[in-house]
């Protein structure tokens, strides 16, 4: 009992010191509370005020317009002048426009010369005191009128004069068209052809739908920016200030410290969110700002979403808030300094925004898969909650799945202050620096190779497909691989063959790699299918065309061009030269991540990025496990062959084949040759 | 100066004890790194024990294991009889720890800092307030006890750190290079403080690579190199065994006997 009281006291002490630190930090206070409270009203108000002022100033200004309107029907010019006169502050000046009138026959020809002379003549007219100049020209050959407005787009007044003159012309046009329709139909067309639109959505539905598109994204961004300062100060700041070691020798379990720090981060992030949301909703309720997509007729600026929907949205967003704060703590726990923490937070923000963006897509429906995705599920639930279309079953599933994600992240946060990792002093700085240089050089070659494949490989293949493909895969890519591996080998003082990992493999590994191909093919088919829902492939993309051309070839040629050559060329570079450089400094997961991005990018198609990226990451793991390039070449070749041949022999795409991969996986567990 | 009345061996109870302490890190790039390769030492109450060695010898890692921050790969460490691996929280209650790189929370005042760590040690209410007042007086911090720590001078910060380390009056005090980065006045205040702990019958284990400090303060010295203790004894015992007068030569001689060339070690950037 006393232990528990003590633990509670310790928790409160840590929490209190975190809050004291934050409250006394002017920057934190300003960005979490003062800024949002002031920002939104100022932003909305300022925007409206600016719009109004500029509109009023322009409307108050006199603009002069010259017009000629000498066309049939005779009545039109007079009516146009009347309409122009109705536009307030628009003075119609009758002046000398003879130069333009003289041009009329030539304008009909529409040549470049005529256009240039027209511009010169018009600028003379505009220089003589008019702001814009509108003319209707009757062209003999063509039926009807040609209308022209001359203006100077760099002058506000000229733009305004043009707007008013054009508006008058539009009104004239509408009048004439209406008259004509009445003639043809024999009745008022407005009564017969225009349906009266009746929107069945309530004001709350409309405003909820508009808010639902924006709020999840805003919530994630605000939560991250509000919590990031607290997380940086609680974790990275503690290490930077040199207080962490002291904290860890206090008679307090590390998990109590971490729990209190996490609570501080969560509370700060949530209060920032609450202040921001209150400020946004308050500004809208006061009529200061409106939501995009809501016209004035639907109650535009006023927000009509009820408290019930807002509460539901807050409830479904909770697991995302916990997950995001846990991720903030995890990220900042890795950083040694504030600055390092800030650098780590940027990628986290980008990663967090991506799944949330799904909620801005109106046609993405919440389903079992999306509900289980971290952040995407809660974001879509917030959207649906604001629309008033929450499906209880899916929400429950989202809650279960996302709570599991949050719990997973929280369990990792428990190790954020693991002294073994945080304070470990093993290391030799020179050696570390050398390794970093090697990895960076490999990465630079990787990026260069991707661009070379785009630019040089692309133009070679555009020149002639088959020779281009052969040259790219057998000359260009191996050449880059050789250049890159030569540097790595020189720096690491090893042979070129070692840098390419061209050592004799365990034969079991080669067999295992080949057997892994069917499962990979199934995975990539699933990825294609999934991607098709989010990012549908256009019916006729460039790559598709290329594939069609290759598929028309004899089978053996197809296997050579699509399976064998890419396997050799790409593996030499990606799992040979690139991976051998990357692994000097980076852990396997980072190497695999870089390989994912670069290998995916090298295939030059956003639609193939995901499957090829996954293939690249898997091949990297195979290279790491087998310590040889040959199993990678075997897997790559058999995967490509399966994909290429499954059109001809559909049996190759049967899901049952994937079971072979279990044997393949087991074979890969065998020890590599020493 | 060096004629300190250290207690006869075996008279006072052992406050800090290491038996066959080892620490290996697993570095993903370099494999297993052995930072500490079997260290035995014992420090008694009323004794100042100095751990002397060059940078990278394993001093900090040893002290961190004794202070329960790092878990030993092998061996046993006890603080005031409590096994650090079995009951780290109890060991921490009997332990004060301070290192040269220790910082303070910039936005808390010294008084708040002391209150924070007092609460972590389970002190509350009047007992906590009384102890804080006592420390504020003992370290003459009254003038700046309520200002923010970020505004303090190095010497003032040092006092707050020391006060924080002895807040719970621990029987064992571990100091990792406590004078690093201090000017002459501040480091002499630190030396006075260490001596005052000995007079109060507490045990102080501290590491240093400053020979004069070790010479002046320590009742016994352990020379540590490449993760091993080369020899332990009083200054006179060490001088006698090596036949050298100056502590610097004693150190070099011990390293030489261990089969290492001290100059080569220095050339590798590990100066004594």
């Amino acid at each position: 009992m006393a232990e528990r009281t003590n633990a509670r006291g310790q928790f409160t002490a840590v929490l209190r010191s975190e809050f004291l630190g934050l409250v006394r930090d002017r920057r934190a206070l300003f960005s979490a509370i003062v800024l949002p409270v002031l920002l939104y009203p100022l932003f909305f108000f300022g925007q409206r005020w600016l719009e109004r002022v500029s509109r009023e100033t322009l409307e108050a200004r006199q603009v002069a317009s010259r017009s000629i309107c000498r066309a049939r029907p005779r009545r039109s010019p007079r009516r146009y002048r009347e309409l122009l006169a109705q536009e307030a502050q628009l003075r119609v000046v009758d002046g000398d426009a003879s130069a333009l009138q003289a041009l009329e026959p030539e304008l009909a020809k529409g040549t470049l010369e005529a256009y240039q002379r027209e511009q010169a003549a018009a600028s003379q007219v505009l220089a003589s005191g008019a702001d814009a100049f509108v003319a209707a020209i009757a062209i003999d050959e063509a039926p009807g009128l040609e209308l022209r407005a001359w203006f100077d787009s760099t002058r506000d007044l000229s733009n305004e004069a043009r707007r008013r003159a054009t508006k008058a012309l539009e009104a004239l046009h509408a009048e004439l068209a209406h008259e004509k329709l009445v003639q043809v139909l024999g009745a008022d067309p407005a009564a017969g052809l225009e349906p009266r639109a009746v929107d069945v959505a309530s004001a709350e539905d409309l405003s909820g739908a508009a808010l639902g598109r924006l709020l999840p994204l805003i919530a994630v961004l605000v939560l991250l920016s509000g919590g990031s300062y607290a997380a940086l100060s609680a974790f990275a700041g503690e290490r930077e200030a040199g207080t962490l070691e002291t904290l860890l020798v206090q008679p307090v379990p590390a998990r109590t410290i971490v729990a209190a720090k996490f609570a501080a981060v969560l509370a700060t992030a949530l209060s920032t969110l609450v202040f921001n949301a209150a400020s946004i909703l308050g500004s809208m309720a006061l009529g200061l700002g409106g939501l995009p997509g809501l016209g004035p007729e639907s109650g535009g600026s006023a927000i009509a979403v009820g408290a019930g929907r807002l509460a539901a949205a807050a409830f479904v967003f909770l697991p995302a808030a916990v997950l995001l704060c846990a991720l903030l703590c995890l990220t900042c726990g890795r950083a040694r300094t504030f600055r390092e923490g800030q650098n780590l937070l940027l990628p986290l923000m980008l990663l967090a925004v991506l799944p949330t963006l799904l909620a801005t897509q109106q046609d993405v429906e919440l389903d079992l898969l999306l509900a289980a995705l971290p952040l995407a599920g809660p974001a879509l639930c917030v959207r649906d909650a604001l629309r008033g279309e929450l499906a209880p079953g899916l929400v429950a599933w989202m809650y279960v799945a996302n709570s599991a994600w949050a719990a997973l992240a929280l369990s990792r946060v428990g190790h954020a202050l693991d002294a073994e990792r945080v304070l470990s002093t093993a290391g030799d700085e020179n050696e570390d620096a050398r390794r970093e240089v090697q990895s960076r050089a490999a990465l630079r070659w990787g990026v260069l190779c991707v661009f070379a494949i785009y630019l040089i490989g692309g133009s070679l293949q555009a020149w002639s497909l088959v020779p281009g493909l052969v040259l790219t895969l057998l000359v260009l890519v191996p050449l880059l691989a050789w250049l890159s591996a030569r540097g790595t080998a020189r720096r690491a003082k090893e042979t070129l063959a070692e840098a390419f990992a061209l050592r004799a493999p365990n034969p079991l590994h080669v067999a295992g790699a080949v057997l892994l191909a069917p499962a990979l093919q199934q995975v990539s088919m699933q990825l294609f299918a999934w991607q098709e829902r989010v990012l549908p492939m256009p019916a006729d993309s460039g790559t598709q065309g290329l594939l069609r051309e290759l598929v028309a070839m004899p089978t053996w040629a197809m296997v050579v061009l699509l399976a064998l050559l890419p396997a050799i060329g790409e593996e030499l570079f990606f799992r040979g030269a690139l991976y051998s450089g990357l692994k000097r400094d980076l852990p396997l997961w980072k190497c695999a991540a870089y390989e994912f991005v670069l290998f995916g990018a090298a295939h030059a198609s956003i639609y193939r990025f995901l499957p090829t990226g996954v293939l690249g990451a898997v091949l990297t793991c195979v290279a790491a496990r087998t310590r040889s390039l040959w199993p990678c070449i075997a897997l790559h070749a058999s995967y490509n062959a399966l994909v290429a041949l499954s059109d001809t022999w559909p049996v190759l795409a049967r899901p049952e084949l994937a079971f072979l991969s279990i044997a393949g996986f087991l074979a890969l567990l065998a020890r590599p040759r020493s | 100066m060096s004629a300190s009345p250290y207690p006869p061996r075996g008279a006072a109870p052992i406050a800090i004890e290491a038996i066959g302490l080892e620490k290996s890190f697993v570095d993903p790039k370099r494999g297993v790194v052995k930072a500490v390769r079997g260290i035995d030492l014992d420090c008694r109450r009323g004794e100042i024990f100095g751990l002397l060695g060059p940078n990278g010898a394993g001093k900090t890692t040893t002290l961190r294991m004794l202070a329960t921050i790092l878990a030993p790969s092998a061996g046993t460490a006890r603080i005031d009889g409590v096994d650090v691996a079995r009951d780290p929280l109890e060991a921490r209650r009997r332990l004060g720890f301070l290192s040269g790189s220790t910082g303070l929370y910039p936005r808390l005042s010294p008084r708040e800092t002391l209150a924070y760590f007092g609460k972590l040690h389970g002190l509350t209410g009047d007992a906590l307030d009384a102890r804080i007042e006592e420390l504020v007086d003992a370290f003459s911090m009254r003038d700046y006890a309520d200002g923010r720590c970020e505004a303090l001078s190095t010497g003032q910060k040092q006092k707050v750190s020391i006060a924080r380390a002895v807040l719970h009056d621990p029987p064992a005090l571990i100091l990792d290079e406590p004078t690093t980065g201090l000017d002459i006045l501040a480091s002499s205040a630190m030396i006075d403080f260490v001596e005052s702990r000995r007079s109060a019958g507490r045990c102080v284990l501290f590491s240093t690579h400053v020979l004069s400090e070790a010479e002046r303060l320590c009742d016994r010295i352990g020379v540590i190199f490449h993760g091993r203790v080369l020899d332990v004894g009083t200054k006179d015992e060490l001088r006698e065994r090596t036949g050298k007068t100056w502590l610097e030569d004693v150190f070099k001689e011990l390293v030489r006997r261990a089969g290492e060339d001290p100059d080569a070690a220095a050339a590798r950037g590990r100066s004594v």
Side-chain angles (χ1 to χ4, degrees):
Chain A
M1 194 62 203
E3 288 253 313
R4 190 176 290 175
T5 323
N6 196 10
R8 204 180 304 139
Q10 290 169 334
F11 178 89
T12 323
V14 178
L15 192 62
R16 183 171 175 274
S17 97
E18 291 295 337
F19 278 139
L20 266 184
L22 284 172
V23 168
R24 288 184 186 166
D25 187 331
R26 280 192 211 137
R27 276 182 302 171
L29 210 58
F30 184 77
S31 66
I33 295 168
V34 182
L35 197 64
V37 169
L38 294 179
L39 185 74
Y40 296 103
L42 279 178
F43 172 75
F44 285 135
F45 183 75
Q47 191 193 17
R48 286 198 139 195
W49 181 77
L50 269 178
E51 262 174 25
R52 204 188 62 226
V53 166
S54 66
R55 200 176 52 237
E56 282 174 2
T57 348
L58 266 184
E59 274 171 4
R61 294 285 280 279
Q62 276 270 355
V63 288
S65 164
R66 290 183 186 193
S67 341
I68 327 166
C69 209
R70 303 184 291 97
R72 300 147 296 193
R74 286 289 156 208
R75 200 167 61 78
S76 315
R78 206 177 53 238
R79 178 70 188 132
Y80 175 56
R81 287 192 165 226
E82 281 169 19
L83 285 169
L84 270 180
Q86 277 173 18
E87 276 287 317
Q89 310 292 347
L90 187 65
R91 192 159 49 89
V92 180
V93 270
D94 287 311
D96 179 25
S98 52
L100 278 169
Q101 281 165 1
L103 271 177
E104 267 180 48
E106 243 185 280
L107 287 180
K109 292 180 199 154
T111 58
L112 180 67
E113 201 192 20
Y115 172 72
Q116 284 163 344
R117 289 179 58 189
E118 174 190 5
Q119 245 190 340
S123 60
Q124 264 181 15
V125 176
L126 290 183
S128 68
D131 293 305
F133 183 72
V134 181
I137 300 160
I139 295 170
D140 288 339
E141 290 84 26
L145 298 172
E146 177 165 323
L147 291 169
R148 295 204 173 206
W150 291 281
F151 71 107
D152 180 354
S153 68
T154 57
R155 288 170 52 215
D156 278 350
L157 280 182
S158 186
N159 281 323
E160 181 65 15
R162 175 193 162 211
R163 191 184 67 78
R164 293 180 198 175
T166 320
K167 200 173 150 198
L169 271 174
E170 272 166 15
L172 179 64
H173 175 88
E175 247 174 50
L176 292 175
H178 188 255
E179 267 172 31
K180 197 78 192 166
L181 270 174
V182 172
Q183 263 180 22
V184 173
L185 291 172
D188 185 358
L193 291 178
E194 286 273 323
R196 243 188 78 215
V198 179
D199 194 347
V200 293
S202 68
E204 182 172 30
D205 286 339
L206 282 171
S207 167
L211 202 61
R213 272 200 296 279
L214 278 183
L215 211 57
L217 192 62
I218 294 181
V220 166
L221 287 174
V222 162
L223 201 76
L224 281 173
S225 68
S228 67
Y229 200 82
L232 280 170
S233 126
F235 291 92
E238 189 104 47
R239 281 173 81 173
E240 190 171 14
T243 46
L244 182 60
E245 209 182 17
T246 315
L247 199 58
L248 291 179
V249 290
Q250 304 309 315
V252 187
R255 59 172 188 281
T256 306
I257 300 177
V258 172
K261 284 175 178 287
F262 172 76
V265 173
L266 185 64
T268 314
L270 285 180
S271 55
T272 312
L273 186 58
V274 167
F275 277 114
N276 273 276
S279 180
I280 295 178
L281 296 175
S283 309
M284 286 178 180
L286 290 174
L288 282 175
L291 282 166
L294 268 191
E297 70 279 357
S298 54
S301 59
I303 187 81
V305 181
R309 287 191 189 185
L310 287 175
F315 173 73
V316 294
F317 190 66
L318 211 57
V322 175
L323 176 63
L324 283 171
C325 287
L327 288 176
L328 276 176
C329 294
L330 265 182
T331 312
C332 293
R334 301 199 77 86
R336 281 177 296 258
T337 59
F338 250 82
R339 183 173 291 256
E340 195 185 336
Q342 279 165 337
N343 290 342
L344 290 174
L345 282 179
L346 189 67
L348 173 68
M349 291 211 180
L350 292 177
L351 275 180
V353 163
L354 277 181
T356 320
L357 280 176
L358 280 178
T360 61
Q361 305 300 113
Q362 221 156 358
D363 48 349
V364 177
E365 292 283 336
L366 182 66
D367 60 16
L368 281 174
L369 179 67
L370 288 176
L373 281 185
L375 300 181
L380 288 167
C381 282
V382 168
R383 184 196 67 182
D384 291 353
L386 291 169
R387 280 178 179 176
E389 297 170 353
L390 219 47
L394 280 175
V395 170
W397 166 236
M398 180 283 286
Y399 234 86
V400 170
N402 274 274
S403 301
W405 287 114
L408 181 70
L410 277 175
S411 73
R412 304 300 306 162
V413 174
H415 300 288
L417 294 182
D418 184 1
E420 300 286 340
R421 188 174 57 74
V422 175
L423 297 174
S424 155
T425 51
D428 175 342
E429 281 173 16
N430 290 334
E431 171 71 10
D432 283 350
R434 258 199 310 280
R435 285 169 178 276
E436 201 182 328
V437 167
Q438 288 171 346
S439 285
R440 286 210 180 151
L443 201 56
R444 274 200 296 274
W445 277 106
V447 175
L448 188 78
C449 180
V450 169
F451 278 106
I453 292 177
Y454 279 164
L455 299 175
I456 307 176
S459 28
L460 282 174
Q461 285 160 40
W463 157 68
S464 175
L465 181 64
V466 175
L469 208 59
V470 173
L471 278 175
T472 310
L473 292 169
L474 281 191
V475 179
L476 175 68
V477 179
L479 179 73
L480 290 164
W482 176 70
L483 286 170
S484 160
R486 203 183 51 154
T488 310
R490 181 168 43 80
R491 289 190 197 93
K493 299 190 178 65
E494 58 184 15
T495 65
L496 205 59
E498 279 170 329
F500 274 123
L502 281 171
R503 67 168 67 92
N506 182 339
L508 265 180
H509 283 164
V510 179
V514 172
L515 289 180
L516 217 54
L520 260 179
Q521 191 198 9
Q522 292 302 320
V523 169
S524 95
M525 276 158 59
Q526 289 297 319
L527 287 172
F528 264 126
W530 185 79
Q531 187 176 269
E532 191 73 12
R533 289 166 49 199
V534 185
L535 186 78
M537 195 187 269
D540 189 38
S541 75
T543 1
Q544 289 269 317
L546 185 145
L547 279 178
R548 219 171 292 133
E549 196 169 324
L550 287 171
V551 164
M553 294 183 158
T555 310
W556 68 267
M558 208 162 74
V559 169
V560 170
L561 279 175
L562 285 179
L564 223 49
L565 292 190
I568 295 171
E570 291 174 0
E571 288 314 299
L572 273 178
F573 187 85
F574 285 96
R575 259 61 61 180
L578 177 63
Y579 175 61
S580 78
L582 287 180
K583 72 178 178 192
R584 304 279 158 193
D585 188 48
L586 302 176
L588 177 59
W589 72 268
K590 277 192 189 167
C591 293
Y594 278 123
E595 292 266 0
F596 176 93
V597 173
L598 290 173
F599 193 63
H603 287 77
S605 161
I606 181 96
Y607 307 104
R608 291 166 67 200
F609 182 77
L610 208 55
T612 47
V614 168
L615 176 65
V618 171
L619 282 165
T620 310
C621 297
V622 170
R625 174 65 204 163
T626 63
R627 299 194 205 149
S628 165
L629 196 64
W630 299 111
C632 300
I633 295 181
L635 170 54
H636 194 157
S638 33
Y639 168 84
N640 278 16
L642 273 184
V643 173
L645 296 178
S646 52
D647 270 354
T648 325
W649 295 300
V651 66
L652 290 176
R654 290 187 74 94
E656 295 86 343
L657 284 181
F659 287 108
L660 287 174
S661 300
I662 299 174
F665 183 77
L666 292 175
L668 283 171
L669 291 180
R671 281 177 175 279
R673 277 199 175 180
S674 54
Chain B
M1 292 249 292
S2 62
S4 55
Y6 61 88
R9 309 227 38 210
I14 295 176
I16 302 176
E17 189 178 19
I19 306 163
L21 217 48
E22 284 181 27
K23 182 68 189 177
S24 312
F25 297 105
V26 181
D27 188 293
K29 293 167 215 160
R30 278 175 292 270
V32 178
V33 179
K34 287 193 171 175
V36 175
R37 302 153 183 253
I39 279 188
D40 301 291
L41 51 86
D42 56 336
C43 326
R44 291 164 189 280
R45 292 202 181 202
E47 183 183 39
I48 300 178
F49 190 103
L51 215 49
L52 184 68
N55 292 336
K59 297 190 300 288
T60 298
T61 307
T62 306
L63 295 189
R64 280 179 173 168
M65 280 191 284
L66 286 169
T68 75
I69 302 172
L70 298 179
S73 311
T76 315
R78 290 196 194 99
I79 299 293
D80 207 27
V82 179
D83 189 325
V84 298
R86 264 197 218 127
D87 193 353
L89 294 189
E90 186 50 40
R92 288 176 198 171
R93 286 191 192 102
R94 297 160 188 239
L95 169 83
F97 180 84
L98 180 61
S99 90
S101 57
T102 297
L104 293 168
Y105 293 102
R107 289 185 195 87
L108 298 190
S109 72
R111 214 186 279 278
E112 283 163 349
T113 306
L114 294 177
Y116 177 30
F117 284 93
K119 281 178 197 157
L120 293 184
H121 272 281
L123 291 173
T124 45
D126 292 341
L128 179 61
D129 293 341
R131 179 68 180 147
I132 291 174
E133 287 314 306
E134 196 182 323
L135 288 168
V136 165
D137 282 333
F139 289 92
S140 13
M141 299 191 292
R142 198 157 289 285
D143 291 344
Y144 52 87
D146 293 307
R148 288 196 194 173
C149 284
E150 61 192 345
L152 302 186
S153 73
T154 315
Q156 290 167 336
K157 280 182 187 161
Q158 180 73 14
K159 283 185 182 175
V160 179
S161 287
I162 297 172
R164 198 219 64 230
V166 297
L167 184 103
H168 52 299
D169 194 20
L173 191 62
I174 294 177
L175 305 174
D176 186 14
E177 310 212 346
T179 52
T180 304
L182 294 186
D183 63 10
I184 302 171
L185 280 178
S187 51
S188 102
M190 172 59 87
I191 286 167
D192 291 344
F193 161 71
V194 170
E195 282 180 333
S196 76
R197 293 303 290 177
R198 170 169 58 193
S199 330
R202 306 287 186 258
C203 164
V204 182
L205 168 63
F206 85 99
S207 72
T208 185
H209 58 265
V210 184
L211 295 166
S212 63
E213 252 173 38
E215 190 132 35
R216 172 174 167 188
L217 275 173
C218 298
D219 301 317
R220 283 191 301 145
I221 293 173
V223 175
I224 182 171
F225 191 72
H226 272 201
R228 286 200 182 87
V229 176
L230 301 184
D231 202 355
V232 181
T234 64
K235 276 156 286 186
D236 294 337
E237 283 167 2
L238 291 177
R239 282 185 187 126
E240 206 175 295
R241 276 180 227 154
T242 53
K244 307 282 181 187
T245 316
W246 300 103
L247 209 45
E248 193 180 341
D249 297 331
V250 169
F251 180 79
K252 278 189 186 169
E253 177 63 20
L254 287 172
V255 170
R256 197 188 57 74
R257 284 186 193 174
E260 287 267 356
D261 179 3
D263 293 326
R268 284 207 303 268
R270 297 176 165 184
S271 61
V272 178

